[in-house]
Amino acid sequence: LNINSMLSSNNNNNKANNKANVTCDKWSVVTTIFAPTDSVRRAAALPSDWCIVIVADTKTPSDYLEQAKFDNANAKHRIHFLSVQDQEAWGTQTAMTTIGDFVRAIPYRHFARKNIGYLYAIYHGAQFLFDFDDDNILLTTDGTDNENDKVLLPIHNEKEVPQARIPVLAQLAFNHHPLMGASLGNQSWARGFPLDRILDVSTHGDVPLQMPAW
């Protein structure tokens, strides 16, 4: 999937394409069918250089934002809710492009809709993605949600990632869990990974270079 090629061919001016006032290079990405959870509220409460994109599905409450009652400063430019209608508009208005094909190919009522969130965030300048689920709750400084409490960052140091690895991929399918040291070893895989490739060690990648910091 050539992200740059997809995005360069996408010149329409709808909500999903509009880059005005979006300056974040760090993005949280989630898809959900439920009412707003503490997990989403805390991700939305990260510092002002973070944005969040919430990808709706057909079962997601239509009044999601009203229920969430986000009160962050500049929330309008940092919190992005992509309704089903927004996603359909993006797919329709880019109908003759690769991005349109991609958006329309993602099934409804499926976790794969999060991929639209990744694409949206990258299009709007994301250099760092925090991929989370609506039941993964970020920690806070004192374990509460009072006005003086602050949400802790997904990683403690955004500028230096210890033991960064650059993998070489030999297959179209890539299971990154073994490289990340999953406790179940080769019996762990990401949601959506093709089950008939789980035991294929060539999908695990190889690490030709490992650096002390990124």
Side-chain angles (χ1 to χ4, degrees), residues 58 149 156 168 200:
T58 55
D149 198 16
H156 75 283
V168 168
D200 183 352

Side-chain angles (χ1 to χ4, degrees), residues 8-25:
S8 64
S9 64
N10 183 33
N11 297 316
N12 294 283
N13 185 28
N14 60 23
K15 176 180 177 180
N17 296 335
N18 187 5
K19 294 183 178 180
N21 301 314
V22 180
T23 58
C24 303
D25 61 0

